[in-house]
Amino acid sequence: MTSAPTQSAPVEPDPTPAGDPPLQRILIATGRVARHAGLPVVIALLVGAVVLLATGNDPIAVYGRLATEAFGTPSRINATLAATTPILFTAIAAAFAYRAGVFTVGVEGSFVLGGLTAAVIGANMGGFPPVVAVILPLLGATLAGGLVAAVPAVLRAVWSVDEVVTTLMFNFIVAGLAGWAVQSFFQERGQANSATAYVAENAELPALAPPGQTSWALIIGLLLLIGYAVWMRRSTLGFEFRAVGSAPRFSTAQGLRVRTVLLTALLGAGLIGGLGGGSHALGIVHRYSEGFSASFGFTGIAIALLARFNPIGILVGAILFGALNAAGATVQLFINLPVQLIDILEGTVMIFAVAVFAFPRLSKRWAARSERRRP
Amino acid sequence: MLLLSACSGTSSDSPSGSAGGDAALGSAALVVAQGGLGDESYNDLAYKGFQQGLTDNGLEGTPIESDDVVGQGEQILRRAGDEGLGVVVDLEYSHAEVLPTVAADYPNTDWVLVNAEAAGDNVASVLFQEQEGSYLAGALAALQTVNTSDPKINADKVIGVIGGTQSTGIDKFLVGFIQGARDTDPSVKVLTAYSNDFADPTKGQQLAQSMFEQGADIVYAVAGGTGAGVIQAAKDAGHYAIGVDANQDGVAPGSVLTSMLKKTDVAVETVLKSYADGSFPGGTTINLGLAEDGVGLSDFQYTKDAIGQATIDKVDALKQKIIDGDIKVWNVVEQGYPDYYSGN
C-alpha cells in the first residue's frame, strides 16, 4: 500500500507532490483552488449581477462597495476575519470527515452544543486563573461537540447506518435540547429571549486588535488548520483517511482500519465543531443565545467542498464567506441593498461548488454507462 | 411618558423649526432583529415607525439586516458609529451587552435599544409591558367564553393561547393572559401550546383547530406570522382568535375578538422625533405599558356588539386598576415563573 488509488475517487483531493518545497506546494495548491473555486464564484457574481440589474442597481458599484466594506480598511478586515472565524472551524470539521468519505452534516449540532457548553462553563469561571478559565470551557465545548457525533459515529462504523440521516437528525435533537436546557436551567433573569448569562471576563478569548472583534479564536482556528494539514499528510491514520475516502472497498481489502477511520472521522468532525462553537461563544458572542449559529455548520460544508478539502482552499473559502457576511450587512448603510442578495450570492456559490465538484464524477458515470451500452 | 408627550403634540408641529436649526443632524439606521424584515410583526412594525419617523422629521436612514445578527452585532454597530450616524435604533435584544461599550466609544451618536435594556448616557432603552395588555386579553376572553348568547361561543369554559417559542419573552405574554383569565374567572381553563415557529401559519392553524376541538372558543396567538393560521382556523371553526403586535382585527372581521397591540412603530417613531427635536431621552429606559399607551387592546371595531358594552366596561375598569397599580401583573422576564405556570 504505497499510494492511494486515484481512479473513480468519490472525494479525492488533488495531492501535491511531497518532494517539492513547501512554498511551491502552497502555490500549486492555491492555483488549483483558484481553478476549482473560481468558476462557482464567477457564476455566483454573474447571477448576482443579473439580480442587481433587474432590481435597478449598478452591479459594479455594488460589488466595489462590498469589496471596500470587506477589505477596505484595517477595521473592515478585522470584521471580515471575525466573521471568518466560526466558518473556518466548521469547514475544517467538514473537510476532516469528508476526506474519509464520510458526509456528515452534523457539525452544526456540534457547534451549537459546544457553544452552549462553553457559555455555561465560561459564565462560572470568575476567579479562576485566566488560562484555565479559557481552557476549561473550550475543553467542555470540544467534548460536547464530540458527544453530539458519538451516536452517528458508532452507528456508521459498526452498523453502516447512513451518516447523512443520523447527523441531520441530531442537529434537530441538539437544537431542541439546547433550547430546553437554556429555558430550564441556564436562562438569565431579565433576558426576554432565550439566552444564558454572559461569560466571566477572564473566560473571554481576548480580541487581537480591540475594539475589533477578531479574537484568539482565529489563532486557534488557524492552528487547527495547520494541524489538519500536517495530520492528513504526515500521519498513518491521515493517510488511511485519504485511502478509505478514495476507495473504501479497496481499503478494506488492503487491511486498512476502515472502522477506525469512519469512527475517527465522525467523532473528529464533532470535536472540531464543538471547539468552534466554544471559540465562538468565548470570542464573539460571549454567551449562548437564540440565533447563536447562523447555520455555520452548513456554510462549512460548502467551504469544504469548494476547497476540495485543501487547507489553503479552506482558508480562502472561509475568508470569502466571512467577507460576504461582514460586508453584506454594513453595505446596507450606503446602498439600499436587501440582505437577500447576499443570500443569493452565497447560495449560488454553494450550489455551483457542489455542482462543479460532482460534475467529473457524473461525466465519468455517464461515460461508464454509455460504454456498457456498447455491444 | 414619552408617548404621552408626543400625543399632546404641542411643541413642534413645524419640522423646519427644529430640524432646520440643527445642521448637525445625522442620518439614522435601524438594525433589524432576528427574523428579518417581512415578518409581518415586530420587525415590520418597527420599520414602519422608522420610515414614518424619517419622513416626518426629514431624516435620511436605512435598515440593516444580517443573517448572523447575533454574532455580527458589534461590528455592524461600530460601522454605524464610524460613519458618524446620528441615531441608531437596534431591535435585537441580544445586543444588550454589546451596545453600551459601542455607545461609549461613539458618544456623538445616539443609540436606542428596543425590547432590552442597555446603559449609557447616549443610550435609550425601550421596554414594553406586554404582560399588561395580555392580562386584559385574558380577562376579556374569560368574560366572553361564558357569553353563550354569542354564536361563536360554546358551552365549555375553555380558552387557549399559542406561543411562538418557549422563552421568557413569549411566556411574559402567556402568563399575563393566564393571570387575567384566572383573576376574572378561576374556573376557566386555559390551554397552552408552542408552535416553535414564528412564520408557519399551517402549524398555527393545526394547533388552533386542536384547541377548538378540546372545547376552546377563543385562542390568543403570540407567534408572529404563525398567528395568521390561528385567525384562519378561528374563521373556519366559527370561533375567535386574538391577534398580537399589530391590529389584526381586520384580517378576518368578526373572527378576531381583539388584538393585543404592542406599538413598536409608535415607539420608534417617537424616539426619532425626540432625536430630531434635540430631546433624545439618553440614559433612560422608556417603559411602555398600558399607562403609556404602548400596549393595549384594539378598539373592538368588528366585535363590539358580540362582546357587549358591559364586558367592555369591565375590561376598561381592569385597565384602570393596572394603571393605578391596584393590580400587579406578573412579569416573567423579571420575576421568573409563577406557581400556576411553569412554562410547559
PDB file of all heavy atoms in Angstrom, chain B residues 271-291:
ATOM      1  N   VAL B 271     -39.183  58.020  19.230  1.00  0.00           N
ATOM      2  CA  VAL B 271     -37.775  58.205  19.566  1.00  0.00           C
ATOM      3  C   VAL B 271     -37.075  59.020  18.482  1.00  0.00           C
ATOM      4  O   VAL B 271     -36.275  59.912  18.773  1.00  0.00           O
ATOM      5  CB  VAL B 271     -37.092  56.833  19.770  1.00  0.00           C
ATOM      6  CG1 VAL B 271     -35.593  56.991  19.788  1.00  0.00           C
ATOM      7  CG2 VAL B 271     -37.568  56.190  21.057  1.00  0.00           C
ATOM      8  N   LEU B 272     -37.406  58.743  17.219  1.00  0.00           N
ATOM      9  CA  LEU B 272     -36.801  59.512  16.127  1.00  0.00           C
ATOM     10  C   LEU B 272     -37.215  60.979  16.215  1.00  0.00           C
ATOM     11  O   LEU B 272     -36.410  61.881  15.969  1.00  0.00           O
ATOM     12  CB  LEU B 272     -37.221  58.937  14.772  1.00  0.00           C
ATOM     13  CG  LEU B 272     -36.526  57.647  14.343  1.00  0.00           C
ATOM     14  CD1 LEU B 272     -36.969  57.253  12.944  1.00  0.00           C
ATOM     15  CD2 LEU B 272     -35.013  57.795  14.383  1.00  0.00           C
ATOM     16  N   LYS B 273     -38.454  61.183  16.570  1.00  0.00           N
ATOM     17  CA  LYS B 273     -38.954  62.551  16.686  1.00  0.00           C
ATOM     18  C   LYS B 273     -38.201  63.303  17.785  1.00  0.00           C
ATOM     19  O   LYS B 273     -37.757  64.436  17.587  1.00  0.00           O
ATOM     20  CB  LYS B 273     -40.444  62.517  16.997  1.00  0.00           C
ATOM     21  CG  LYS B 273     -41.102  63.885  17.072  1.00  0.00           C
ATOM     22  CD  LYS B 273     -42.596  63.699  17.352  1.00  0.00           C
ATOM     23  CE  LYS B 273     -43.242  64.958  17.868  1.00  0.00           C
ATOM     24  NZ  LYS B 273     -43.217  66.047  16.879  1.00  0.00           N
ATOM     25  N   SER B 274     -38.043  62.638  18.919  1.00  0.00           N
ATOM     26  CA  SER B 274     -37.341  63.311  20.017  1.00  0.00           C
ATOM     27  C   SER B 274     -35.874  63.535  19.664  1.00  0.00           C
ATOM     28  O   SER B 274     -35.264  64.519  20.082  1.00  0.00           O
ATOM     29  CB  SER B 274     -37.481  62.514  21.315  1.00  0.00           C
ATOM     30  OG  SER B 274     -36.958  61.229  21.160  1.00  0.00           O
ATOM     31  N   TYR B 275     -35.308  62.606  18.885  1.00  0.00           N
ATOM     32  CA  TYR B 275     -33.934  62.824  18.424  1.00  0.00           C
ATOM     33  C   TYR B 275     -33.861  64.071  17.550  1.00  0.00           C
ATOM     34  O   TYR B 275     -32.992  64.928  17.729  1.00  0.00           O
ATOM     35  CB  TYR B 275     -33.443  61.612  17.645  1.00  0.00           C
ATOM     36  CG  TYR B 275     -32.226  61.889  16.797  1.00  0.00           C
ATOM     37  CD1 TYR B 275     -30.969  62.022  17.391  1.00  0.00           C
ATOM     38  CD2 TYR B 275     -32.334  62.055  15.420  1.00  0.00           C
ATOM     39  CE1 TYR B 275     -29.850  62.305  16.620  1.00  0.00           C
ATOM     40  CE2 TYR B 275     -31.229  62.339  14.646  1.00  0.00           C
ATOM     41  CZ  TYR B 275     -29.997  62.470  15.251  1.00  0.00           C
ATOM     42  OH  TYR B 275     -28.893  62.767  14.492  1.00  0.00           O
ATOM     43  N   ALA B 276     -34.815  64.175  16.624  1.00  0.00           N
ATOM     44  CA  ALA B 276     -34.825  65.325  15.725  1.00  0.00           C
ATOM     45  C   ALA B 276     -35.082  66.624  16.486  1.00  0.00           C
ATOM     46  O   ALA B 276     -34.552  67.680  16.143  1.00  0.00           O
ATOM     47  CB  ALA B 276     -35.879  65.128  14.638  1.00  0.00           C
ATOM     48  N   ASP B 277     -35.879  66.529  17.547  1.00  0.00           N
ATOM     49  CA  ASP B 277     -36.185  67.703  18.373  1.00  0.00           C
ATOM     50  C   ASP B 277     -35.020  68.139  19.241  1.00  0.00           C
ATOM     51  O   ASP B 277     -35.067  69.200  19.861  1.00  0.00           O
ATOM     52  CB  ASP B 277     -37.360  67.395  19.318  1.00  0.00           C
ATOM     53  CG  ASP B 277     -38.665  67.313  18.561  1.00  0.00           C
ATOM     54  OD1 ASP B 277     -38.668  67.720  17.390  1.00  0.00           O
ATOM     55  OD2 ASP B 277     -39.648  66.842  19.149  1.00  0.00           O
ATOM     56  N   GLY B 278     -34.024  67.268  19.344  1.00  0.00           N
ATOM     57  CA  GLY B 278     -32.936  67.563  20.275  1.00  0.00           C
ATOM     58  C   GLY B 278     -33.289  67.180  21.705  1.00  0.00           C
ATOM     59  O   GLY B 278     -32.640  67.609  22.648  1.00  0.00           O
ATOM     60  N   SER B 279     -34.316  66.370  21.889  1.00  0.00           N
ATOM     61  CA  SER B 279     -34.690  65.956  23.241  1.00  0.00           C
ATOM     62  C   SER B 279     -34.546  64.453  23.395  1.00  0.00           C
ATOM     63  O   SER B 279     -35.376  63.783  23.989  1.00  0.00           O
ATOM     64  CB  SER B 279     -36.140  66.371  23.524  1.00  0.00           C
ATOM     65  OG  SER B 279     -37.010  65.745  22.587  1.00  0.00           O
ATOM     66  N   PHE B 280     -33.472  63.911  22.824  1.00  0.00           N
ATOM     67  CA  PHE B 280     -33.254  62.471  22.872  1.00  0.00           C
ATOM     68  C   PHE B 280     -33.159  61.997  24.323  1.00  0.00           C
ATOM     69  O   PHE B 280     -32.375  62.546  25.105  1.00  0.00           O
ATOM     70  CB  PHE B 280     -31.988  62.103  22.110  1.00  0.00           C
ATOM     71  CG  PHE B 280     -31.748  60.623  22.056  1.00  0.00           C
ATOM     72  CD1 PHE B 280     -32.472  59.833  21.175  1.00  0.00           C
ATOM     73  CD2 PHE B 280     -30.820  60.016  22.891  1.00  0.00           C
ATOM     74  CE1 PHE B 280     -32.262  58.467  21.121  1.00  0.00           C
ATOM     75  CE2 PHE B 280     -30.615  58.646  22.837  1.00  0.00           C
ATOM     76  CZ  PHE B 280     -31.336  57.877  21.948  1.00  0.00           C
ATOM     77  N   PRO B 281     -33.953  60.975  24.686  1.00  0.00           N
ATOM     78  CA  PRO B 281     -34.002  60.544  26.092  1.00  0.00           C
ATOM     79  C   PRO B 281     -32.833  59.642  26.472  1.00  0.00           C
ATOM     80  O   PRO B 281     -33.042  58.529  26.951  1.00  0.00           O
ATOM     81  CB  PRO B 281     -35.340  59.816  26.181  1.00  0.00           C
ATOM     82  CG  PRO B 281     -35.562  59.267  24.807  1.00  0.00           C
ATOM     83  CD  PRO B 281     -34.921  60.235  23.856  1.00  0.00           C
ATOM     84  N   GLY B 282     -31.607  60.097  26.223  1.00  0.00           N
ATOM     85  CA  GLY B 282     -30.420  59.294  26.535  1.00  0.00           C
ATOM     86  C   GLY B 282     -30.334  58.970  28.022  1.00  0.00           C
ATOM     87  O   GLY B 282     -30.691  59.784  28.862  1.00  0.00           O
ATOM     88  N   GLY B 283     -29.845  57.767  28.314  1.00  0.00           N
ATOM     89  CA  GLY B 283     -29.658  57.371  29.699  1.00  0.00           C
ATOM     90  C   GLY B 283     -30.924  56.905  30.389  1.00  0.00           C
ATOM     91  O   GLY B 283     -30.887  56.582  31.576  1.00  0.00           O
ATOM     92  N   THR B 284     -32.027  56.863  29.681  1.00  0.00           N
ATOM     93  CA  THR B 284     -33.273  56.457  30.323  1.00  0.00           C
ATOM     94  C   THR B 284     -33.825  55.185  29.690  1.00  0.00           C
ATOM     95  O   THR B 284     -33.479  54.830  28.569  1.00  0.00           O
ATOM     96  CB  THR B 284     -34.367  57.541  30.204  1.00  0.00           C
ATOM     97  OG1 THR B 284     -34.688  57.697  28.816  1.00  0.00           O
ATOM     98  CG2 THR B 284     -33.896  58.856  30.766  1.00  0.00           C
ATOM     99  N   THR B 285     -34.649  54.509  30.474  1.00  0.00           N
ATOM    100  CA  THR B 285     -35.389  53.369  29.950  1.00  0.00           C
ATOM    101  C   THR B 285     -36.844  53.774  29.839  1.00  0.00           C
ATOM    102  O   THR B 285     -37.450  54.209  30.811  1.00  0.00           O
ATOM    103  CB  THR B 285     -35.264  52.160  30.886  1.00  0.00           C
ATOM    104  OG1 THR B 285     -33.909  51.754  30.908  1.00  0.00           O
ATOM    105  CG2 THR B 285     -36.134  51.008  30.395  1.00  0.00           C
ATOM    106  N   ILE B 286     -37.371  53.661  28.640  1.00  0.00           N
ATOM    107  CA  ILE B 286     -38.757  54.035  28.420  1.00  0.00           C
ATOM    108  C   ILE B 286     -39.601  52.783  28.582  1.00  0.00           C
ATOM    109  O   ILE B 286     -39.457  51.825  27.832  1.00  0.00           O
ATOM    110  CB  ILE B 286     -38.929  54.635  27.016  1.00  0.00           C
ATOM    111  CG1 ILE B 286     -37.984  55.822  26.849  1.00  0.00           C
ATOM    112  CG2 ILE B 286     -40.369  55.032  26.773  1.00  0.00           C
ATOM    113  CD1 ILE B 286     -37.540  56.040  25.434  1.00  0.00           C
ATOM    114  N   ASN B 287     -40.423  52.765  29.600  1.00  0.00           N
ATOM    115  CA  ASN B 287     -41.288  51.623  29.853  1.00  0.00           C
ATOM    116  C   ASN B 287     -42.650  51.887  29.265  1.00  0.00           C
ATOM    117  O   ASN B 287     -43.359  52.778  29.717  1.00  0.00           O
ATOM    118  CB  ASN B 287     -41.412  51.394  31.358  1.00  0.00           C
ATOM    119  CG  ASN B 287     -40.590  50.201  31.782  1.00  0.00           C
ATOM    120  OD1 ASN B 287     -40.767  49.107  31.246  1.00  0.00           O
ATOM    121  ND2 ASN B 287     -39.686  50.418  32.717  1.00  0.00           N
ATOM    122  N   LEU B 288     -43.021  51.121  28.279  1.00  0.00           N
ATOM    123  CA  LEU B 288     -44.286  51.369  27.617  1.00  0.00           C
ATOM    124  C   LEU B 288     -45.302  50.310  28.014  1.00  0.00           C
ATOM    125  O   LEU B 288     -45.253  49.173  27.549  1.00  0.00           O
ATOM    126  CB  LEU B 288     -44.091  51.388  26.099  1.00  0.00           C
ATOM    127  CG  LEU B 288     -43.113  52.451  25.608  1.00  0.00           C
ATOM    128  CD1 LEU B 288     -42.921  52.352  24.112  1.00  0.00           C
ATOM    129  CD2 LEU B 288     -43.563  53.845  25.993  1.00  0.00           C
ATOM    130  N   GLY B 289     -46.174  50.688  28.902  1.00  0.00           N
ATOM    131  CA  GLY B 289     -47.235  49.785  29.345  1.00  0.00           C
ATOM    132  C   GLY B 289     -48.592  50.343  28.985  1.00  0.00           C
ATOM    133  O   GLY B 289     -48.719  51.163  28.068  1.00  0.00           O
ATOM    134  N   LEU B 290     -49.597  49.915  29.724  1.00  0.00           N
ATOM    135  CA  LEU B 290     -50.948  50.419  29.486  1.00  0.00           C
ATOM    136  C   LEU B 290     -51.023  51.918  29.742  1.00  0.00           C
ATOM    137  O   LEU B 290     -51.642  52.663  28.989  1.00  0.00           O
ATOM    138  CB  LEU B 290     -51.937  49.695  30.401  1.00  0.00           C
ATOM    139  CG  LEU B 290     -52.282  48.244  30.035  1.00  0.00           C
ATOM    140  CD1 LEU B 290     -53.163  47.647  31.116  1.00  0.00           C
ATOM    141  CD2 LEU B 290     -52.978  48.181  28.688  1.00  0.00           C
ATOM    142  N   ALA B 291     -50.347  52.357  30.807  1.00  0.00           N
ATOM    143  CA  ALA B 291     -50.428  53.762  31.190  1.00  0.00           C
ATOM    144  C   ALA B 291     -49.873  54.660  30.094  1.00  0.00           C
ATOM    145  O   ALA B 291     -50.356  55.770  29.879  1.00  0.00           O
ATOM    146  CB  ALA B 291     -49.671  53.984  32.497  1.00  0.00           C
TER     147      ALA B 291
END
